Amino acid sequence: MQPTLASSAPTEVGFTSPLIRYYQGVRAAARQVVRERDGAPSPTVSFDLPPLDERLRRYFDQPGVTLAPIGAERGRSLWMLNLMGDPETRTTKTLASLVMVARAAHHIDRTGEGVLIVTPSSANKATALRAAVGRAYRTGLATPEQLRIVAVAPATSAAKLRAGDLSADAHLRAANPFVLADVDHPANVKQLAREAVDMCAAEILAGTGFRTWYSLDIDNYRIADSVRAFVEAETMPLTRASRPRLHAHAVSSAYGLLGYHLGWRLLSSGAYADLATPASHPGFFLVQQLATPDMVLSLRYGDTSHSRIPEYRRDGDHWRQSADPAFPAVTDDPHEVLDRTFYTTNPPTCSQIDQIVARHGGGGVVVSRRECLDRYDCVRQLCAEAGVRLPSDPADIREWSIVKALTGILVGIERGFIAEGTDVVVHGSGFYTDALLPPLPEEHVRRLSRATELAAVMRTAAS
């Protein structure tokens, strides 16, 4: 199967430094988030964003976001919203991380306190936040004496940890440790980090002047991900004459799509009047893996019980099922973890996504590694049209997000989940190999298993 290039499609469009170009909209998104929290606990670091001065412009001057036609498949036009342009991270988490660190710097300027970010992560979020902290050091937005980060990932994600500025220098490694935690389930790093913060945050503030910021909050990501809607409104606006449109995304909790939805709402309400008001809302198409298919289960059945996963039967070296077309017909493992990044079970965002899809259309599928490999040549050609060069050997891939998403689109088309005549915009949210992003050396990682041990690491980092 090979894609057919859409001969009449516009050429690639995009912008460098999207957080500068759309800063007015990002600040509007932050104000909207504050209004919507309605009694939720106040964040450790305010959602306020400072005026866009020259120092902040230097910090936000990052590689851009592009929207490019990548082909057509059986009457569906395919596009990629490429969010992987930062060579330090190759992940969409960069946008949110830059905004979060800008907020931390604003807090430091306003209060005189230092900020110690504590982030649990499956890997990519930690890589992006660490890169943003390093960028803040390089551009003068903050210093190591003012801003530091402790990142904790499950031990199963060891192969996904990436090197960067904070690991290249011994002093910066000490102040910004990367921790691997031995936990029963990967998502348990969130609770472990929460417990450690509760255990020692007050002591750290009193003893060092660093305020500890536990960074796990969907609104930290929705704000920056509103940029996705702004790019679309400027480059490929939804008008009354537009064909039906789907936004496809490989998801764990679908933070990115909810950020897009926030941006769409701002545009629709006129809160960001510089850009076109969309005439409609696209459908959302979610792609997940067999180990964590909870959002697809919620869309199809209204709950996330894994008892809803179809029964697989062994067939030689593979496992097969034919009861549910939203699940892989064939897999090497019925409980397969295709990518460690997608580790969330029963995400609290299910109800929000279910409501959006019920109102605006869409759906979802679960894909297996076998399905990705069977369609890899096609996926590789589609990526090449957007300037994303996948390796000839898929074994070199360390981040599978874009491969999963495009495989999900092809499967969705094959099985009739995506109607003919639809424009499909895939969110290119992550891809890297060891050659593109060097792995973090084992000797630069600390290992632990208890919250008390993580609290000790945090005290040392702050001191």
Side-chain angles (χ1 to χ4, degrees):
M1 183 192 338
Q2 295 297 334
T4 303
L5 297 186
S7 59
S8 61
T11 57
E12 177 181 288
V13 287
F15 310 103
T16 58
S17 307
L19 291 173
I20 296 175
R21 187 178 190 89
Y22 302 116
Y23 197 61
Q24 175 187 344
V26 174
R27 294 184 83 183
R31 292 191 294 270
Q32 183 66 25
V33 159
V34 171
R35 288 191 290 269
E36 291 177 356
R37 286 178 73 86
D38 188 27
S42 298
T44 302
V45 171
S46 167
F47 288 108
D48 290 344
L49 284 165
L52 190 61
D53 58 17
E54 285 307 309
R55 185 179 63 156
L56 204 57
R57 284 181 177 274
R58 288 196 303 272
Y59 170 71
F60 280 148
D61 186 17
Q62 286 283 89
V65 173
T66 60
L67 183 61
I70 58 174
E73 183 64 33
R74 304 186 189 184
R76 292 81 166 171
S77 295
L78 308 183
W79 301 71
M80 184 187 293
L81 179 63
N82 188 349
L83 302 157
M84 307 174 287
D86 184 356
E88 293 184 64
T89 67
R90 307 285 178 175
T91 172
T92 184
K93 301 296 186 184
T94 295
L95 291 174
S97 298
L98 289 169
V99 171
M100 290 169 65
V101 168
R103 287 166 51 201
H106 191 41
H107 176 92
I108 292 165
D109 291 342
R110 286 189 298 106
T111 67
E113 296 177 338
V115 172
L116 176 67
I117 300 171
V118 177
T119 184
S121 170
S122 59
N124 291 345
K125 179 171 61 178
T127 294
L129 267 170
R130 284 167 57 84
V133 170
R135 184 168 185 81
Y137 294 168
R138 295 198 309 269
T139 60
L141 191 68
T143 68
E145 289 70 41
Q146 298 170 314
L147 175 67
R148 298 175 189 178
I149 180 171
V150 176
V152 53
T156 51
S157 291
K160 297 203 68 169
L161 306 189
R162 302 293 102 181
D165 284 358
L166 301 190
S167 62
D169 176 90
H171 295 292
L172 293 184
R173 285 199 300 274
N176 301 279
F178 211 139
V179 172
L180 281 175
D182 290 310
V183 289
D184 293 335
H185 186 278
N188 289 352
V189 293
K190 301 172 186 177
Q191 181 61 27
L192 184 144
R194 177 77 268 178
E195 290 177 6
V197 169
D198 291 344
M199 194 179 297
C200 65
E203 174 193 339
I204 288 174
L205 179 61
T208 68
F210 275 92
R211 185 168 294 278
T212 302
W213 181 12
Y214 177 75
S215 70
L216 191 65
D217 187 325
I218 184 174
D219 289 331
N220 292 336
Y221 291 84
R222 284 203 304 152
I223 291 170
D225 284 328
S226 64
V227 164
R228 304 183 189 202
F230 305 153
V231 172
E232 179 186 49
E234 185 164 6
T235 62
M236 192 179 169
L238 277 157
T239 68
R240 294 189 182 278
S242 296
R243 302 195 327 162
R245 188 174 301 175
L246 277 180
H247 280 236
H249 205 317
V251 302
S252 185
S253 299
Y255 281 13
L257 289 176
L258 290 172
Y260 169 91
H261 181 63
L262 172 62
W264 182 92
R265 287 168 45 224
L266 290 170
L267 294 168
S268 297
S269 68
Y272 189 13
D274 288 356
L275 297 174
T277 301
S280 61
H281 191 295
F284 285 167
F285 193 78
L286 281 57
V287 182
Q288 296 201 279
Q289 65 183 7
L290 277 163
T292 49
D294 300 52
M295 300 200 81
V296 172
L297 289 171
S298 184
L299 283 173
R300 291 183 67 75
Y301 301 113
D303 68 60
T304 60
S305 170
H306 284 208
S307 65
R308 297 280 194 174
I309 298 172
E311 182 180 357
Y312 282 84
R313 298 185 182 278
R314 182 176 286 280
D315 180 8
D317 293 334
H318 307 306
W319 297 76
R320 298 183 184 275
Q321 68 85 27
S322 57
D324 190 337
F327 279 76
V330 59
T331 180
D332 298 334
D333 179 358
H335 308 288
E336 180 179 71
V337 178
L338 177 53
D339 191 311
R340 297 288 178 186
T341 298
F342 301 90
Y343 70 161
T344 303
T345 55
N346 196 23
T349 51
C350 280
S351 61
Q352 299 171 67
I353 290 293
D354 289 354
Q355 292 170 23
I356 295 170
V357 171
R359 182 173 182 182
H360 301 292
V365 295
V366 179
V367 298
S368 66
R369 183 182 298 270
R370 176 57 48 198
E371 289 179 321
C372 291
L373 296 178
D374 288 346
R375 295 159 181 81
Y376 187 69
D377 288 345
C378 181
V379 166
R380 193 173 180 225
Q381 182 178 338
L382 291 169
C383 283
E385 294 299 327
V388 179
R389 309 297 177 186
L390 300 186
S392 57
D393 185 353
D396 293 339
I397 297 174
R398 297 294 175 263
E399 170 56 50
W400 283 77
S401 295
I402 188 57
V403 177
K404 281 180 61 178
L406 284 168
T407 300
I409 290 170
L410 295 175
V411 168
I413 291 171
E414 293 165 16
R415 298 180 188 165
F417 289 119
I418 299 175
E420 189 172 354
T422 301
D423 287 335
V424 184
V425 178
V426 60
H427 290 229
S429 57
F431 159 70
Y432 51 80
T433 63
D434 288 347
L436 285 173
L437 287 182
L440 187 65
E442 171 66 26
E443 60 269 23
H444 294 170
V445 179
R446 305 187 188 189
R447 291 182 176 266
L448 50 78
S449 59
R450 296 189 296 273
T452 52
E453 296 173 298
L454 180 58
V457 170
M458 290 165 54
R459 294 187 188 100
T460 300
S463 63

